[in-house]
């Protein structure tokens, strides 16, 4: 969760969630795009025996197998970068959590992949909330997340997917949300 916003009367809490529009995704999409373009141009240069790269001379490569493999790597990298750029443009995973004490409603919204169910929305009542659960798993693949535990339903994740947030931020956000909803905080 990036930003928490309380309304003027302190009865609505809205948490904005960063999706795929993170700095790391922009970095990797750019790097893979540049690398894929270089590999593809190397493969084309070795096939046509005309240099398309200013910093190397791939015309000296034998097209089969070296130029062909470099061209295939370039196509694969460009397809991967296209996927990354589309997920950034569509902001996959981005959205918000809104807790409204005036209406007694909770709305969890995320953008998904294009198709029939592009918008992922979960609506429930504040009366259905049992607790706010903190999930912490350390080790090789650490996980730190907040979940909304509901009566008779699965736990709903509230934090972003990706790199884990710091323990202090997770504890603070969990405690503020539990205090706002008037429910216990579990898992600490």
């Amino acid at each position: 969760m990036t930003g928490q916003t309380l309304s003027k009367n302190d009865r609505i809490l809205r948490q904005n969630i960063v999706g795929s529009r993170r700095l790391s995704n922009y970095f990797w999409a750019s790097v893979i795009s540049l690398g894929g373009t270089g590999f593809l141009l190397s493969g084309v240069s070795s096939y046509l025996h005309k240099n398309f790269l200013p910093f190397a001379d791939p015309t000296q490569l034998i097209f089969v197998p070296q130029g062909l493999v470099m061209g295939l790597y370039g196509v694969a990298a460009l397809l991967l970068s296209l996927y990354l750029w589309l997920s950034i443009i569509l902001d996959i995973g981005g959205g918000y959590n809104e807790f409204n004490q005036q209406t007694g409603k909770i709305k969890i919204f995320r953008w998904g992949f294009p198709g029939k169910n592009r918008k992922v929305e979960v609506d429930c009542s504040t009366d259905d909330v049992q607790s706010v659960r903190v999930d912490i798993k350390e080790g090789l693949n650490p996980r730190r997340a907040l979940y909304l535990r509901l009566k008779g339903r699965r736990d709903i994740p509230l934090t972003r997917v990706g790199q884990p947030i710091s323990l202090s931020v997770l504890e603070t956000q969990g405690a503020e949300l539990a205090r706002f909803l008037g429910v216990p905080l579990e898992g600490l």
Side-chain angles (χ1 to χ4, degrees), residues 161-183:
V161 176
Q163 70 185 67
I165 57 179
S166 69
L167 286 173
S168 61
V169 171
L170 184 71
E171 290 173 1
T172 303
Q173 289 178 350
E176 287 176 3
L177 181 59
R179 191 175 323 114
F180 182 80
L181 294 173
V183 295

Side-chain angles (χ1 to χ4, degrees), residues 5-14 100 102 180:
T5 311
L6 279 173
S7 69
K8 291 179 183 173
N9 61 3
D10 296 337
R11 304 280 293 165
I12 299 173
L13 176 65
R14 184 179 171 107
N100 191 330
Q102 292 173 331
F180 182 80

Side-chain angles (χ1 to χ4, degrees), residues 23-149:
L23 186 62
S24 63
N25 285 352
Y26 282 105
F27 172 77
W28 286 114
S30 300
V31 167
I32 293 171
S33 296
L34 289 172
T37 302
F39 271 89
L40 184 61
L41 289 177
S42 293
V44 171
S45 293
S46 75
Y47 180 72
L48 298 176
H49 297 292
K50 183 172 182 178
N51 191 3
F52 293 112
L53 293 174
F55 53 85
D57 187 18
T59 58
Q60 303 300 317
L61 295 174
I62 302 169
F63 180 68
V64 176
Q66 294 152 333
L68 182 64
V69 170
M70 290 186 82
L72 291 175
Y73 281 157
V75 169
L78 288 175
L79 289 174
L80 177 61
S81 70
L82 176 67
Y83 169 77
L84 288 172
W85 285 116
L86 285 175
S87 67
I88 289 169
I89 290 167
L90 297 172
D91 195 22
I92 306 298
Y96 61 88
N97 305 327
E98 186 174 275
F99 306 93
N100 191 330
Q101 289 180 337
Q102 292 173 331
T103 61
K105 297 289 181 190
I106 296 172
K107 183 174 187 172
I108 312 294
F109 176 84
R110 302 288 187 278
W111 287 108
F113 288 99
K116 185 179 177 185
N117 297 324
R118 167 122 167 83
K119 297 177 182 179
V120 179
E121 296 180 84
V122 176
D123 294 312
C124 62
S125 171
T126 55
D127 296 334
D128 293 339
V129 178
Q130 283 183 318
S131 64
V132 175
R133 183 172 65 87
V134 177
D135 184 26
I136 300 171
K137 179 186 163 215
E138 298 296 335
L140 189 57
N141 188 17
R143 180 179 60 226
R144 296 179 192 142
L146 285 178
Y147 290 88
L148 196 62
R149 180 162 280 176

